Structure formats: C-alpha cells, structure tokens
C-alpha cells in the first residue's frame, strides 16, 4: 500500500517488519553510497517511521517518486528479468505491466546516454548485491510526445552532473525510436529492502524443482539475481543512431540540432559513477567469511 504526495514528488509506502529490519541493516552503507556523488537509480529514502493507533502499528517509509512527471505517463512497467508471474492479463492504460508485457521491446536512449545509463545501472546493481539485497526491479515509465507537440532541444537534455537521476528532460530521459517515436523515460530501482532470508531460501528450494523447470524464478541469491537483472537490462538498453533521431524529429516537425554529432562523441567520463570503496564481497563469497553487514568504522551512524 502506498500514497503519492500532492505535488507528485514523494511516495509514502507501507513497509513490513522485515523490510524495516533490512533498512536498519543497510542504512549506513546506503547513506554513504547516495552521498558519494554521481548518478543513481536507487530510491532516495527520506524518512522511515512507525504510526501507532488503537493498538495497531503501521510502518511507513517516505521516498522520491520515480514518476515525478509534469504530464501524465502513458505506460508503466515493472522489470526484473524473470518470467515467474511476470505477465498482467487485460493490462489497463493506468496499470503497470511486467516483463512479459514488455516483451521484446527495448529501452531506447540517445547514443550519448547509453554508456552512462548502463554504467549507473551496473553500479547500483553491484551495490545491492554487496549488501545482500534481491527481488528488486526497475520501474519504467514512458510518456509519448504527440505529433505537433513542441519537442525539447536534444542539446539541453543530455545527462549532466546537476541532476543525479536522469531528469534533464521534463524530469526524465529523452528517448527516440522508430516504433514509438519521441518520448520521455522515467526509471528507478524499487523494492530494495528484500534480504535473502531463510524464508526466501525455502521458497527457492520449493520453486526451483517445480515452476523453476519452466520459468526464471524471483527468489534467487543476491549474486545470481544481480547477474541476471544486469544481463537483462544490458540487452534492453539500446542506443539510437543519429539518423533515427533525425527521422523521428523530422516526423514531429523539428530539425535535429546541428551540433548533435558532436554531442554523441563527447567524453562522459566525468559523469560515470565514481569508485565505490564501500562495496565489499558477499559473506558467502568473502575469503574472510565476514558478514556483509558488519559495521565499518568510517561509517556515519544513521538510525531507524
């Protein structure tokens, strides 16, 4: 259950006791990762608290809204790279589809943004793996430009360090494709508080020899889960060539910017996520056998 703030910028989500424990376990390393600089698709967690009324306790978490868009979003998808229960029948316009609804479509981005977007995704996924998180997904929203609608200048929509969450074009990432025309993409990782608990391990043991024979199941260890979703997203993020962008923009009645070829070849090294010294190996893979949640003496204490 969740609620969206009136200004569309924040989401208040009800969380379980196990999610609250997971947040407490990773909060110090999460804060360091978010504060390191560079872009990220992880949610910005603003607060977590408990509300008690008539003996009933409800745990809530406040975070940024991935779909903080100035205009309505046309399509929504929750992507994990799995096939177990990943199809929504009779998908309505206002509903969120899943992997099998998304099918063989791709996430089309300008060539100058592909390397950066994939680098950010890999960085976030590696961090989630390092703290033992699994069962998360990429939430993707798409808003299509209509024929005759004013298109933004591509030069003003290229990723910068000013916006850490790919918000340069109407709070999203400008996209082009022959099939879908010009659109804005809104994306971010969600459900990042699922630890690989004993319950998850038991579910995997049962599913692996039943539904796992014909489907890719959700309940996999963090390392396997991270590798799988990274492969999936890498295959889905496709660079749009300049001729395609020119064709799409001409269809919408706008001439591509004359400096577009220069933009594509620009060095984006300053925008790639910085080194991540806080990332350590999983306890199952570490030579020292230490827990991935052991306290780091350099960490700043955050309490939930």
């Amino acid at each position: 259950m969740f609620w969206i703030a009136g200004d569309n910028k924040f989401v208040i989500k009800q969380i379980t006791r196990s999610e609250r424990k997971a947040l407490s376990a990773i909060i110090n390393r999460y804060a360091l990762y978010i504060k390191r600089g560079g872009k990220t698709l992880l949610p910005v967690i603003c607060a977590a608290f408990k509300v008690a009324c008539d003996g009933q306790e409800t745990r809530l978490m406040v975070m940024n809204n991935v779909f903080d868009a100035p205009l309505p979003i046309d399509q929504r998808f929750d992507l994990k790279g799995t096939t177990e229960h990943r199809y929504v029948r009779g998908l309505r316009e206002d509903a969120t589809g899943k992997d099998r609804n998304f099918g063989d479509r791709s996430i089309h981005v300008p060539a100058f943004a592909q390397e950066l977007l994939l680098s950010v995704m890999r960085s976030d996924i590696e961090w989630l793996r390092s703290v033992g998180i699994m069962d998360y997904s990429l939430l993707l929203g798409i808003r299509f430009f209509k024929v005759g609608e004013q298109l933004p200048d591509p030069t003003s929509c290229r990723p910068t360090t000013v916006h850490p969450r790919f918000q340069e074009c109407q709070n999203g990432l400008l996209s082009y494709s022959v099939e879908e025309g010009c659109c804005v993409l809104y994306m971010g990782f969600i459900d990042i508080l699922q630890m690989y608990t004993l319950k998850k391990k038991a579910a995997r043991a049962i599913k692996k020899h039943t539904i796992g024979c014909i489907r890719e199941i959700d309940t996999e260890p963090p390392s396997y889960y991270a590798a799988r979703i990274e492969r999936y997203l890498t295959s889905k993020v496709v660079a749009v060539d300049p001729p395609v962008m020119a064709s799409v923009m001409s269809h919408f009645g706008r001439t591509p910017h004359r400096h577009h070829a220069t933009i594509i070849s620009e060095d984006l090294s300053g925008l790639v996520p910085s080194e991540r010294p806080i990332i350590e190996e999983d306890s199952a893979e570490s030579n020292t056998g230490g827990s991935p949640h052991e306290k780091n003496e350099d960490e700043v204490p955050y309490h939930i």
Side-chain angles (χ1 to χ4, degrees), residues 19-204:
E19 288 176 321
R20 184 266 180 195
K21 289 181 179 178
L23 180 58
S24 296
I26 70 172
I27 188 62
N28 287 325
R29 296 173 72 180
Y30 167 82
L32 288 173
Y33 183 79
I34 293 296
K35 291 168 60 179
R36 84 202 188 290
K39 287 185 178 290
T40 181
L41 294 176
L42 294 183
V44 177
I45 300 174
C46 305
F49 52 92
K50 180 171 62 177
V51 177
C53 182
D54 295 331
Q56 298 293 323
E57 294 183 347
T58 303
R59 296 172 180 81
L60 301 172
M61 182 171 69
V62 181
M63 54 189 173
N64 69 299
N65 182 10
V66 175
F67 295 155
D68 177 19
L71 295 170
I73 291 176
D74 297 304
Q75 294 181 351
R76 304 166 180 80
F77 296 95
D78 181 296
L79 306 176
K80 288 186 176 183
T82 67
T83 54
E84 177 201 355
H85 303 308
R86 303 303 294 168
Y87 183 76
V88 179
R89 296 184 182 277
L91 187 63
R92 304 188 311 272
E93 288 187 3
D94 59 343
T96 301
K98 298 184 179 181
D99 298 70
R100 292 171 62 199
N101 296 103
F102 195 66
D104 58 359
R105 295 169 63 180
S106 298
I107 301 173
H108 296 91
V109 298
F112 58 79
Q114 182 197 30
E115 179 183 352
L116 175 61
L117 179 58
L118 286 174
S119 177
V120 170
M121 286 180 171
R122 289 165 182 154
S123 174
D124 290 346
I125 290 170
E126 169 61 13
W127 184 85
L128 290 166
R129 183 207 63 78
S130 75
V131 295
I133 298 296
M134 42 79 70
D135 210 13
Y136 46 91
S137 55
L138 181 77
L139 188 62
L140 172 68
I142 307 173
R143 190 191 87 76
F144 299 104
F145 284 93
K146 311 303 185 289
V147 175
E149 185 176 349
Q150 179 65 37
L151 296 186
D153 188 333
T155 58
S156 65
C157 293
R158 53 187 295 268
T160 66
T161 55
V162 176
H163 298 285
R165 308 189 62 77
F166 295 98
Q167 297 173 303
E168 286 76 14
C169 177
Q170 297 185 2
N171 280 352
L173 177 63
L174 190 62
S175 172
Y176 307 82
S177 76
V178 174
E179 298 83 3
E180 300 175 343
C182 187
C183 58
V184 180
L185 304 177
Y186 301 89
M187 65 187 83
F189 288 112
I190 60 172
D191 297 332
I192 67 164
L193 298 178
Q194 297 296 322
M195 308 291 288
Y196 193 50
T197 60
L198 183 61
K199 182 178 179 180
K200 295 284 188 181
K201 293 176 182 178
R204 179 184 182 273

